[in-house]
Structure formats: structure tokens, C-alpha cells
């Protein structure tokens, strides 16, 4: 099942790389666009449908599998010690997040007040950590997988929770490029689990968009953070009056 999911994720990236949409897939499979979206969301492709979509993309199914295998050999997450090393160095953390987001060496220097020598030193450290390959001319080749993520409850996550949380939520979220939705409900465990799966799919789409935007000029991009959270929780003051 994990292999099937990874193959469908690779197929989605290939569709986007070729500028194809779900509507194009719907026409190739003789399905409605809504049905195609559901098939992708559920990752429920038959072999016949996979081959049909590959034909539309003019690639062999074996090529798609090779792309998937190549992606799986890339780094999907760091060890706890590696994350701790990055989290303890603010400049290194800044540069790490920047390169994963698609910024080049020149973009970093143009955006942040970091000396060239220090920037190169930090990039060299990321090279040793196998996050990137530092090429001649200080060009950066990302070695992380498209689904790269920080360790759950790891040093990087702790850093953002402790240092960034208050700053992040200090906004009124009333600008065109901001949004805050807070909603409450009494849910079953099954509904909670379903929402968590939807959150994971949204996070994957966020990552896909970041991959697509890598080639866009840095002047057209802005640092963007999305926080998705769900938990069984009750405000502490309410707990005091709860039986």
C-alpha cells in the first residue's frame, strides 16, 4: 500500500511537471473530474488506469516506477541529532529552510544580511548532512525528497513551537494573504482520524506547490507558513466548570 501511494504521488508530480490537470486525466480515463480527484485522493488506481495516464503523459509505467524509486532514495527526514545541530544554529536553520524552499545561494545573500563566507560555510555543512550537494559556483542541488518533513516532536518542531508560535499568532489575520479559521465540534474518533488524513493531504499539496514554485524568480515569492492543528482540547477555564 505504501508503494502504491508513493507511485501515485510520483504520478501527480509528473502531471504537474507536464502541465496536465485532473481534467486532462478525466478525459483520458473517460471519467468525471470529480471521480478522478477522488481516485487520486484515495490513491485507488487500477493498473489499467495507471497505464492509460502514462500513455497520456507519453511515458512508460516502468519509467514512472524508476522516478518513484529515485525519489525514495532521497532524504525524507533527518536524524534527531542532525535536527538538533541545525536547531542550535539560527543562521544554519535559516539557510536550511531557505534552500528547502527553493532559494539559491544568490537569493539568500540578496534576502538576508549574511556574509558570503558564512553562507558558504553553512551550505557546506548542509552538504555534509546530505541535504544538498554544493556544486561549483555555490550552486545548490537539493537532495531531499519531495515529501521531506521534520521529525514529529523533534528539535526543529520544538524550536518553532517555542520561538515562533507567539510571533506567528500575533497577526490579526485580516490581510489578503492571511487566513485563520478556528472551529469547534464534538467529534467521534473516526471523524477526527478522517480530518487528520485530510490535513495530511493538504500538507502534501502545500509541498507540491512549493516544488512547482522552485523555478519562479525569487522576487515573485514570499516566505509562507501554514499551521495545521487538531486535538481533543478544552480551554482550561472551561475545564474548571466541567463535571
Amino acid at each position: 500500500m505504501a508503494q502504491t501511494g508513493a507511485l501515485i504521488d510520483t504520478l501527480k508530480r509528473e502531471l504537474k511537471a507536464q502541465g496536465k490537470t485532473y481534467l486532462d486525466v478525466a478525459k483520458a480515463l473517460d471519467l468525471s473530474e470529480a471521480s478522478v480527484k477522488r481516485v487520486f485522493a484515495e490513491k485507488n488506481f487500477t493498473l489499467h488506469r495507471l497505464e492509460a495516464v502514462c500513455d497520456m503523459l507519453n511515458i512508460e509505467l516502468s519509467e514512472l516506477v524508476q522516478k518513484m524509486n529515485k525519489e525514495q532514495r532521497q532524504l525524507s527526514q533527518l536524524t534527531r541529532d542532525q535536527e538538533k545541530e541545525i536547531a542550535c544554529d539560527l543562521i544554519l536553520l535559516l539557510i536550511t529552510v531557505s534552500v528547502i524552499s527553493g532559494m539559491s545561494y544568490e537569493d539568500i545573500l540578496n534576502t538576508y544580511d549574511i556574509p558570503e563566507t558564512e553562507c558558504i560555510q553553512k551550505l557546506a555543512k548542509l552538504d555534509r548532512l546530505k541535504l544538498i550537494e554544493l556544486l561549483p559556483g555555490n550552486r545548490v542541488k537539493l537532495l531531499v525528497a519531495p515529501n521531506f518533513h521534520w521529525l514529529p516532536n523533534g528539535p526543529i518542531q520544538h524550536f518553532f513551537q517555542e520561538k515562533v508560535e507567539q510571533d506567528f499568532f500575533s497577526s490579526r489575520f485580516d490581510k489578503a494573504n492571511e487566513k485563520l479559521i478556528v472551529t469547534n465540534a464534538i467529534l467521534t474518533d473516526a471523524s477526527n482520524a478522517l480530518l487528520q488524513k485530510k490535513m495530511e493531504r493538504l500538507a502534501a499539496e502545500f509541498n507540491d506547490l512549493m516544488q512547482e514554485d522552485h523555478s519562479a524568480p525569487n522576487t515573485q515569492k514570499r516566505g509562507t507558513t501554514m499551521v495545521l492543528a487538531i486535538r481533543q482540547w478544552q480551554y482550561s477555564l472551561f475545564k474548571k466548570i466541567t463535571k
Side-chain angles (χ1 to χ4, degrees):
M1 182 66 183
Q3 287 290 91
T4 301
L7 188 62
I8 302 307
D9 288 340
T10 303
L11 180 62
K12 286 172 61 179
R13 284 187 281 274
E14 185 63 25
L15 285 167
K16 291 180 179 180
Q18 295 196 24
K20 302 296 184 181
T21 65
Y22 284 150
L23 183 58
D24 295 318
V25 177
K27 292 177 180 177
L29 299 181
D30 195 24
L31 295 172
S32 68
E33 187 175 5
S35 295
V36 169
K37 289 180 179 180
R38 183 168 60 254
V39 168
F40 270 97
E42 296 174 354
K43 299 185 177 180
N44 185 24
F45 265 81
T46 63
L47 181 60
H48 175 73
R49 285 177 174 172
L50 269 176
E51 290 178 332
V53 179
C54 285
D55 286 343
M56 181 194 76
L57 295 171
N58 197 30
I59 64 172
E60 297 290 333
L61 180 56
S62 59
E63 292 180 63
L64 188 68
V65 173
Q66 289 174 359
K67 287 177 180 287
M68 177 196 71
N69 289 334
K70 181 179 178 181
E71 290 175 354
Q72 290 185 327
R73 288 195 296 270
Q74 293 175 315
L75 193 65
S76 61
Q77 62 181 198
L78 301 176
T79 65
R80 186 168 293 273
D81 286 342
Q82 287 173 322
E83 280 203 5
K84 186 176 180 180
E85 182 177 357
I86 294 173
C88 291
D89 184 334
L90 184 60
I91 300 299
L92 180 61
L93 176 59
L94 172 63
I95 292 177
T96 302
V97 173
S98 297
V99 296
I100 289 176
S101 300
M103 294 179 69
S104 67
Y105 167 73
E106 291 78 12
D107 291 334
I108 295 171
L109 292 182
N110 290 334
T111 304
Y112 303 109
D113 186 18
I114 300 175
E116 291 186 32
T117 52
E118 185 175 10
C119 185
I120 294 171
Q121 289 172 356
K122 303 303 183 186
L123 290 173
K125 182 170 288 189
L126 294 183
D127 183 282
R128 290 195 295 273
L129 291 173
K130 304 301 181 184
L131 266 80
I132 67 168
E133 181 180 352
L134 189 56
L135 303 172
N138 297 318
R139 290 179 295 113
V140 173
K141 178 182 177 182
L142 271 178
L143 299 180
V144 300
N147 65 339
F148 177 83
H149 57 280
W150 303 118
L151 289 171
N153 203 34
I156 301 293
Q157 184 173 313
H158 282 170
F159 173 87
F160 282 106
Q161 286 177 332
E162 294 174 5
K163 309 294 185 183
V164 181
E165 180 180 4
Q166 184 175 355
D167 183 61
F168 180 85
F169 286 105
S170 65
S171 172
R172 296 181 56 147
F173 293 92
D174 55 359
K175 298 178 182 177
N177 59 1
E178 297 180 332
K179 194 171 198 65
L180 175 65
I181 298 175
V182 178
T183 183
N184 302 287
I186 300 175
L187 300 175
T188 63
D189 289 344
S191 293
N192 184 291
L194 179 60
L195 280 172
Q196 289 191 41
K197 288 182 178 179
K198 290 180 180 292
M199 290 167 66
E200 290 172 359
R201 287 200 291 269
L202 182 58
E205 289 183 20
F206 182 94
N207 191 66
D208 287 344
L209 290 171
M210 180 184 71
Q211 299 293 330
E212 287 181 23
D213 286 349
H214 271 185
S215 59
N218 197 51
T219 54
Q220 296 180 11
K221 296 184 288 188
R222 300 290 182 272
T224 303
T225 299
M226 180 175 70
V227 177
L228 300 173
I230 185 171
R231 59 177 294 204
Q232 292 179 343
W233 175 82
Q234 188 179 40
Y235 184 44
S236 59
L237 290 179
F238 292 168
K239 283 185 179 181
K240 293 179 181 179
I241 58 174
T242 299
K243 291 184 178 180

